[in-house]
């Protein structure tokens, strides 16, 4: 059985190709000493299972408005937990929910409130997922880099304190430049779109039969929204780290 000719053909051969790609990724990781051999396999297996389950779940969710809200909250919770655990293993990991919400919610409300994007479930869910995914990555990177900087440069923080800086100001002075680099991937993707990168929304719409112009407009909205959301997420994450909401690990 195959799908529309414009889409990827779903055949037994596709499964074989996917298995070969997973095996290749794991082999390269092992031979190159990258240390992620098992993670490559488990990540791909989880992706297959989770996408299958989500595909079935969304089929039901899009027809029931309360279920849409519940599904969005589930996405938000998983994103907050994942980002938080990248920053700290303590219960303070749930502070990651703050930058995720601060980045995603205002942008989502602006897009839907102005009518720029419809509020249909089939549109709202993927847009919210894209924004949450971007903020997840930005929050995790900014938080991890900020924490690492404060641990590795503890002497400089103490020096700033001795010069009269407050605890927050001293922490910001040390960790902000490195943590702000978490926004670079989103900026690079936006700068190079169409020249180097053809992102998922653009390709997906083309495969779905949309005109290149419409696909380009949708992708532009997604990219600009992501930059705005991630900028807020990074800013809030750095502020939380500077205020000590994420405990610093002990230096070895």
């Amino acid at each position: 059985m195959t799908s529309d000719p414009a889409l990827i053909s779903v055949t037994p051969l596709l499964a074989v190709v996917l298995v070969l790609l997973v095996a290749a990724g794991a082999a390269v990781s092992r031979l190159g000493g990258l240390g992620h051999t098992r993670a490559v396999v488990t990540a791909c297996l989880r992706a297959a299972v989770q996408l299958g389950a989500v595909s079935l779940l969304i089929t039901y969710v899009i027809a029931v408005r309360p279920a849409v809200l519940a599904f969005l909250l589930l996405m938000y919770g998983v994103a907050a937990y994942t980002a938080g655990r990248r920053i700290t293993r303590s219960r303070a990991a749930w502070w990651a929910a703050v930058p995720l919400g601060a980045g995603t919610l205002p942008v989502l409300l602006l897009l839907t409130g102005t009518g720029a994007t419809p509020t249909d479930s089939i549109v709202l869910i993927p847009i919210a997922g894209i924004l949450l995914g971007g903020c997840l990555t930005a929050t995790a990177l900014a938080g991890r880099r900020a924490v690492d900087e404060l641990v590795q440069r503890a002497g400089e923080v103490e020096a700033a304190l001795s010069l009269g800086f407050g605890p927050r100001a001293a922490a910001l002075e040390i960790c902000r430049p490195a943590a702000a680099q978490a926004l670079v991937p989103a900026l690079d993707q936006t700068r190079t779109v169409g020249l180097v990168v053809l992102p998922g929304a653009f390709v997906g719409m083309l495969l779905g039969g949309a005109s290149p112009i419409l696909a380009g407009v949708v992708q532009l909205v997604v990219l600009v929204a992501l930059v705005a959301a991630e900028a807020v997420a990074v800013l809030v994450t750095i502020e939380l780290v500077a205020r000590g909401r994420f405990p610093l690990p002990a230096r070895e």
Side-chain angles (χ1 to χ4, degrees):
M1 177 182 176
T2 60
S3 58
D4 188 284
L7 304 177
I8 292 177
S9 297
V10 181
T11 66
L13 181 59
L14 178 61
V16 174
V17 170
L18 290 174
V19 171
L20 290 175
L21 289 173
V22 173
V28 169
S29 178
R30 182 177 182 81
L31 294 174
L34 303 181
H36 295 295
T37 305
R38 183 176 179 181
V40 169
V41 176
T42 56
C44 293
L45 288 176
R46 284 187 60 175
V49 172
Q50 289 167 190
L51 283 173
V54 167
S55 298
L56 294 174
L57 182 60
I58 288 180
T59 302
Y60 163 75
V61 164
I62 58 176
V64 184
R65 180 63 66 170
V68 173
L69 178 59
F71 187 69
L72 292 176
L73 289 175
L74 174 63
M75 293 168 62
Y76 176 54
V78 172
Y81 175 81
T82 303
R85 296 294 280 179
R86 292 293 185 190
I87 302 172
T88 178
R89 292 291 178 177
S90 70
R91 292 185 178 181
W94 285 108
W95 274 103
V98 177
L100 280 171
T104 301
L105 187 58
V107 174
L108 192 60
L109 289 177
L110 178 63
L111 291 175
T112 57
T114 59
T117 60
T119 57
D120 296 343
S121 304
I122 197 63
V123 176
L124 186 62
I125 290 175
I127 289 179
I130 290 171
L131 293 174
L132 281 172
C135 288
L136 186 163
T137 301
T139 297
L141 285 175
R144 186 69 264 165
R145 289 179 179 179
V147 168
D148 287 346
E149 284 290 294
L150 292 179
V151 171
Q152 295 170 10
R153 300 170 63 185
E156 294 177 55
V157 176
E158 293 174 2
L161 291 172
S162 68
L163 292 173
F165 285 80
R168 171 182 169 275
L172 284 175
E173 190 72 18
I174 301 304
C175 75
R176 181 162 46 196
Q181 295 300 307
L183 194 57
V184 169
L187 292 174
D188 284 345
Q189 184 182 35
T190 304
R191 289 191 189 105
T192 61
V193 65
L195 299 176
V196 178
V197 181
L198 290 179
F202 182 82
V203 174
M205 291 200 66
L206 286 181
L207 292 176
S211 69
I213 299 298
L214 179 58
V217 170
V218 170
Q219 186 61 71
L220 178 61
V221 171
V222 169
L223 287 174
V224 173
L226 270 174
V227 169
E230 290 185 36
V232 174
V234 168
L235 178 64
V236 174
T237 300
I238 295 172
E239 185 67 31
L240 289 174
V241 173
R243 290 176 179 272
R245 297 298 183 263
F246 296 105
L248 303 182
R251 298 183 67 184
E252 297 181 357

